[in-house]
Amino acid sequence: DAGVTQSPTHLIKTRGQQVTLRCSPKSGHDTVSWYQQALGQGPQFIFQYYEEEERQRGNFPDRFSGHQFPNYSSELNVNALLLGDSALYLCASSGTVNNSPLHFGNGTRLTVT
Amino acid sequence: GEDVEQSLFLSVREGDSSVINCTYTDSSSTYLYWYKQEPGAGLQLLTYIFSNMDMKQDQRLTVLLNKKDKHLSLRIADTQTGDSAIYFCAEWRPLSGGSYIPTFGRGTSLIVHP
């Protein structure tokens, strides 16, 4: 039973570029959430996708956008990258119930230079 | 995540008990979770407690909830070097419309020495 998988594991981009991160949820899960974890911080909620629509959004600018596909996998897109976007980006999946536990992937380490 | 408060570091000797504390802010939070993060990895779900419970025990882990003080603790019995990691407390905050947003603390770095 595969858990949450994310790709790529590491990525280096230049300021101003755009990046796409990918996530496949745990088998049986239909809800995907994305988090940004800066060094020494806890994960910060970016947004959550369910039934291919953004259900909730945290306090992140419109440069952060996402998508969910019919097979429940998801992408996180970040445009016009800033140095401050350097972080570990975590994807988490969960069941349909709103307060069901999150299962996290190992994350994508994004470095913006 | 700043609204969920945790101490940043805890150092214990192998075999002792570890107690990691957390305070949260929203009294209407229904579920409170503990996650573990090892270097280079994502967050691993350890345990959780529903807000109408005072205590939950799961093998070496004991969660205590004081809802009046909005205080949550995680006790690890017989702490081992493999327990060295960062531990995150998280509350599931309800929003209007029945949905929730998980809010995490900054994490407590547990160091276990021989």
Side-chain angles (χ1 to χ4, degrees):
Chain A
D1 178 23
V4 179
T5 58
Q6 293 187 241
S7 64
T9 54
H10 294 83
L11 203 51
I12 299 175
K13 289 287 188 178
T14 304
R15 192 171 47 183
Q17 286 188 315
Q18 178 263 344
V19 68
T20 297
L21 310 182
R22 295 176 176 83
C23 172
S24 292
K26 180 179 166 68
S27 177
H29 285 179
D30 57 9
T31 302
V32 173
S33 304
W34 287 91
Y35 288 80
Q36 181 193 66
Q37 187 180 20
L39 202 60
Q41 303 293 320
Q44 297 287 316
F45 176 73
I46 302 175
F47 42 52
Q48 181 186 77
Y49 276 84
Y50 171 68
E51 291 188 340
E52 302 179 50
E53 291 192 357
E54 184 182 289
R55 184 160 69 173
Q56 291 294 339
R57 188 178 183 92
N59 189 24
F60 278 80
D62 292 344
R63 298 187 297 109
F64 289 78
S65 63
H67 190 76
Q68 185 179 33
F69 299 93
N71 66 353
Y72 309 122
S73 67
S74 178
E75 289 181 349
L76 164 66
N77 301 293
V78 187
N79 295 323
L81 284 166
L82 303 173
L83 296 180
D85 295 331
S86 295
L88 180 68
Y89 288 85
L90 294 163
C91 172
S93 70
S94 56
T96 304
V97 176
N98 272 320
N99 51 17
S100 61
L102 298 173
H103 294 257
F104 284 86
N106 284 333
T108 295
R109 172 71 63 186
L110 172 65
T111 303
V112 183
T113 62
Chain B
E2 288 81 11
D3 292 344
V4 178
E5 298 286 343
Q6 300 179 241
S7 53
L8 293 184
F9 298 98
L10 177 64
S11 179
V12 300
R13 190 180 306 177
E14 189 174 20
D16 288 350
S17 291
S18 307
V19 180
I20 302 171
N21 295 301
C22 168
T23 56
Y24 60 99
T25 58
D26 195 330
S27 58
S28 58
S29 293
T30 55
Y31 281 91
L32 296 135
Y33 289 81
W34 284 103
Y35 282 84
K36 175 184 180 183
Q37 186 176 36
E38 298 183 71
L43 275 67
Q44 173 195 350
L45 175 65
L46 284 179
T47 187
Y48 61 94
I49 189 167
F50 189 54
S51 59
N52 67 354
M53 298 168 66
D54 298 324
M55 185 183 85
K56 180 179 180 182
Q57 188 155 0
D58 185 0
Q59 299 181 352
R60 291 191 298 123
L61 305 179
T62 303
V63 179
L64 295 177
L65 175 61
N66 180 331
K67 200 172 177 185
K68 173 177 168 290
D69 295 335
K70 301 195 202 71
H71 182 265
L72 183 73
S73 67
L74 174 70
R75 179 178 179 269
I76 305 173
D78 187 26
T79 313
Q80 302 299 306
T81 54
D83 294 324
S84 294
I86 301 176
Y87 291 80
F88 291 94
C89 166
E91 61 173 333
W92 257 228
R93 286 187 187 164
L95 301 176
S96 58
S99 59
Y100 292 80
I101 282 189
T103 303
F104 288 81
R106 287 185 61 184
T108 299
S109 182
L110 175 63
I111 300 162
V112 183
H113 51 89

